[in-house]
């Protein structure tokens, strides 16, 4: 079964910060575990209330919830990729 479109998109986004690691030894993003749990509710609130998706009813709720889930997947895959790096690169 081929991977879904959201899987391909989040995997691509999660790999971007780790591209180019090597001699320059850039610092990996820190506190990803904290972001994993704090950013998705923030993304939901920003869209649902900040961008007034609440005025769209169920469609706005669904769109904000989908974006929050996408943010969760992105940070989960980023954390997984960071943990798979050798210790000398992280």
């Amino acid at each position: 079964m081929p991977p879904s479109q959201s899987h391909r998109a989040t995997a691509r986004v999660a790999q971007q910060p780790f591209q180019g690691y090597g001699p320059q030894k850039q610092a990996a993003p820190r506190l990803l575990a904290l972001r994993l749990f704090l950013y998705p509710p923030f993304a939901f609130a920003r869209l649902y209330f900040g961008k007034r998706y609440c005025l769209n009813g169920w469609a706005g709720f669904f769109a904000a919830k989908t974006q929050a889930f996408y943010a969760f997947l992105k940070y989960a895959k980023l954390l997984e990729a960071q943990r798979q790096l050798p210790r000398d690169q992280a």
Side-chain angles (χ1 to χ4, degrees):
M1 183 171 178
S4 66
Q5 184 176 359
S6 64
H7 173 71
R8 288 190 306 264
T10 55
R12 186 173 42 242
V13 169
Q15 290 300 319
Q16 286 175 352
F18 295 108
Q19 290 176 353
Y21 274 32
Q24 56 275 64
K25 297 226 179 186
Q26 299 171 347
R30 298 178 193 259
L31 302 173
L32 284 177
L34 186 62
R35 286 186 205 175
L36 177 67
F37 293 107
L38 293 181
Y39 188 74
F42 172 73
F44 175 82
R46 187 184 68 213
L47 288 173
Y48 195 68
F49 299 112
K51 293 195 180 241
R52 298 186 300 199
Y53 279 24
C54 57
L55 300 178
N56 293 331
W58 280 105
F61 176 79
F62 183 74
K65 192 70 171 171
T66 302
Q67 181 62 31
F69 181 67
Y70 174 79
F72 174 80
L73 284 179
K74 178 176 69 173
Y75 282 113
K77 289 185 180 189
L78 189 58
L79 182 63
E80 182 182 14
Q82 182 184 18
R83 288 184 178 177
Q84 289 178 353
L85 282 177
R87 288 287 176 196
D88 62 338
Q89 288 184 2

